[in-house]
Amino acid sequence: MTAIPDHGPDHGLDHGLDHGLDQGPAKGLDKGLGENPVLLVVYDAGSLAPTRLAEAARQAGCDLVFVTADTAHAQEMIPTLEMVGTVVNTAGRTEAQTREALRALDPAGIVTFSEFQIAPTVRLAEALGLRYHRPADVDAITHKDLQRLRFAEAGVDSVRFRTLTDPAQADEAIAHVGLPAIIKPVKGASSRNTQAVATPEECRAALAEVFAGAGGGPAETAVMLEELLVGRPTPAPWGDYIAVDCVADGDDVRPVFVTSKFALAEPFRERGGYGGFSVVPEAEEREVRDLACRAVRALNIHGVADVEIKLTAGGPRVIEVNGRLGAWVDDLAVRSGTSDPAYVAVAAALGLPYETPEVKQGGPIAFHYLTVPPLGARRVRAIRGVSALRRLAHVERVVVLAEPGADVDWRIGARGNTAAVIGSAATHEELAATVAAIESVDWIDYE
């Protein structure tokens, strides 16, 4: 469910950068690479901003080497990445050639902040003898159905589910799971094609649509039908779920930051989060933190991970684990004065010591609120009056995420969000009033 935003600006496509080993092993070696330990950052969409990574690297006393994915976003970011580190571009290289180029740099650690690059990072770490998630665990870390099996085996949580690769499997899945249930992709993020179903007819129709890519949404090849975890009654604007980012080194798993959530938009679209002082009572937050650490431990994760947890009447339940830092977590943690997730991630990758916080019961509350189109909206018609959002009390920045004509269909999940409203508040009452004010601004039209 966690959204994966781009945290860095785009700077255009590849500007004549080398793509092969015959033109040199890496760009930026004239910056003195080799004097400090080298940290490999496998870079793609969803990564922390390069300047933020550079700040964490200075604190850790390491040099950054960005291993850029062969994707449009990563290629566009190369000029910016070269300003703060060395770039080894995977475009035009085989994995074997990339490994040899990186081995020559004698790296001390490896990390990725991109959901899309977890599996490639696992392969690089294994080949280079670096600590990261293990190959034997990567499928469970990146596949939600295999996570459920791990959690049940470890006694962490047990939820009924079935994996489907064809809509013809609907009736057998319904018989096993029961209704109501939730449909979601086995792999992926950002709440894509995620929806609840209450009747067999509704379930069959929804499955047929997600496999066919009907209605303009992306087509899925494998989905889960999963027991619906019902949240406890929660007053608006607060959500009935919460996220805990953890750092793991073997059995030593500790919380780094708790992101409290705003209420979901239908059907399961995220509206962002806030921290580090939660409206959730301290005792319940401690229970949530403990469950998150047990879930991370069950997957044998090394480094940072993001755990989403449902707050039900019967206690907290695991929604899913993402094997990388959660969206907005570093920004919220730093602005609220809670912790330093970027440094913790870098330090964990290098085997350096790091500090983690206790439950916070005061101080500033940083927020990252997402404006979400109405359920029936298909595209943006017009944008006007963004300045009205920026003038609101407690709002520090507004990032418009869509342009007129952009697709905002609910099936594409967080990619359909239209703006991120960023700021801070002194109290939960102040934050709730700010959210209400944001939602009352008439600044965008939809078709």
Side-chain angles (χ1 to χ4, degrees):
M1 186 181 296
T2 302
I4 301 180
D6 289 348
H7 293 283
D10 291 334
H11 288 271
L13 293 171
D14 185 13
H15 291 252
L17 296 166
D18 57 1
H19 293 287
L21 287 171
D22 57 333
Q23 297 183 31
K27 297 281 285 186
L29 289 176
D30 57 330
K31 297 177 183 178
L33 186 63
E35 298 172 5
N36 297 318
V38 170
L39 175 66
L40 305 180
V41 179
V42 183
Y43 190 90
D44 199 359
S47 293
L48 288 174
T51 50
R52 183 70 183 104
L53 287 169
E55 182 182 344
R58 283 193 297 272
Q59 188 178 352
C62 70
D63 291 331
L64 294 175
V65 172
F66 294 98
V67 185
T68 50
D70 189 7
T71 63
H73 175 77
Q75 297 299 303
E76 289 168 2
M77 287 296 294
I78 286 174
T80 302
L81 299 174
E82 288 183 327
M83 295 174 67
V84 297
T86 299
V87 170
V88 173
N89 194 353
T90 66
R93 286 183 164 111
T94 65
E95 283 201 17
Q97 290 172 328
T98 298
R99 288 196 300 269
E100 291 311 306
L102 297 175
R103 187 174 283 114
L105 303 179
D106 191 25
I110 190 169
V111 68
T112 189
F113 298 91
S114 172
E115 180 76 22
F116 312 108
Q117 296 303 317
I118 290 175
T121 304
V122 167
R123 293 194 296 271
L124 281 175
E126 175 74 4
L128 298 171
L130 300 173
R131 295 191 68 193
Y132 188 59
H133 312 325
R134 300 184 310 181
D137 301 310
V138 66
D139 284 345
I141 292 170
T142 57
H143 292 68
K144 297 179 179 68
D145 53 350
L146 299 182
Q147 282 189 16
R148 285 296 181 202
L149 294 176
R150 283 283 189 96
F151 297 152
E153 290 167 359
V156 172
D157 202 348
S158 182
V159 173
R160 296 186 307 277
F161 76 93
R162 271 291 187 268
T163 303
L164 300 89
T165 56
D166 190 290
Q169 298 166 323
D171 288 346
E172 189 279 332
I174 292 168
H176 176 76
V177 175
L179 295 170
I182 184 170
I183 297 170
K184 60 185 179 182
V186 167
K187 290 187 69 175
S190 305
S191 305
R192 186 188 74 232
N193 274 331
T194 301
Q195 56 188 300
V197 290
T199 68
E201 294 76 17
E202 189 178 9
C203 183
R204 293 187 199 105
L207 288 169
E209 285 190 0
V210 299
F211 280 112
E220 304 293 346
T221 57
V223 301
M224 293 171 66
L225 184 70
E226 183 179 272
E227 171 189 351
L228 182 67
L229 298 178
V230 179
R232 58 170 168 68
T234 305
W238 318 123
D240 59 6
Y241 71 116
I242 197 166
V244 184
D245 278 73
C246 302
V247 59
D249 183 359
D251 287 335
D252 179 18
V253 184
R254 292 182 254 162
V256 176
F257 187 73
V258 174
T259 305
S260 298
K261 300 289 189 171
F262 296 112
L264 290 167
E266 291 186 357
F268 283 92
R269 294 177 295 167
E270 190 158 9
R271 281 196 174 108
Y274 69 94
F277 177 24
S278 179
V279 72
V280 173
E282 180 179 354
E284 187 176 16
E285 183 175 336
R286 290 189 183 279
E287 189 178 1
V288 164
R289 286 159 58 107
D290 177 70
L291 177 60
C293 290
R294 289 193 286 123
V296 168
R297 201 173 286 116
L299 296 176
N300 294 322
I301 281 173
H302 178 75
V304 290
D306 178 75
V307 187
E308 292 197 346
I309 291 176
K310 193 76 167 180
L311 303 174
T312 78
R317 305 286 300 276
V318 177
I319 298 173
E320 66 186 41
V321 176
N322 300 292
R324 40 81 189 167
L325 193 67
W328 332 299
V329 167
D330 184 68
D331 172 66
L332 294 177
V334 171
R335 288 195 294 116
S336 64
T338 306
S339 60
D340 190 344
Y343 172 76
V344 169
V346 168
L350 293 169
L352 300 176
Y354 46 78
E355 295 182 358
T356 52
E358 270 298 317
V359 174
K360 192 174 182 184
Q361 288 293 297
I365 304 169
F367 67 85
H368 187 117
Y369 188 80
L370 296 169
T371 62
V372 179
L375 186 59
R378 299 302 297 270
R379 61 188 53 84
V380 176
R381 176 186 297 142
I383 293 175
R384 51 186 169 68
V386 176
S387 58
L389 285 173
R390 295 191 171 106
R391 288 195 299 268
L392 293 175
H394 313 300
V395 170
E396 298 161 5
R397 187 159 59 102
V398 176
V399 180
V400 177
L401 302 173
E403 298 179 352
D407 184 9
V408 295
D409 190 282
W410 67 267
R411 298 170 184 84
I412 64 176
R415 288 196 298 112
N417 295 338
T418 52
V421 184
I422 299 159
S424 59
T427 66
H428 296 123
E429 293 77 14
E430 199 171 84
L431 178 54
T434 301
V435 169
I438 293 169
E439 289 294 337
S440 71
V441 174
D442 181 17
W443 69 280
I444 187 168
D445 295 326
Y446 301 100
E447 296 177 5

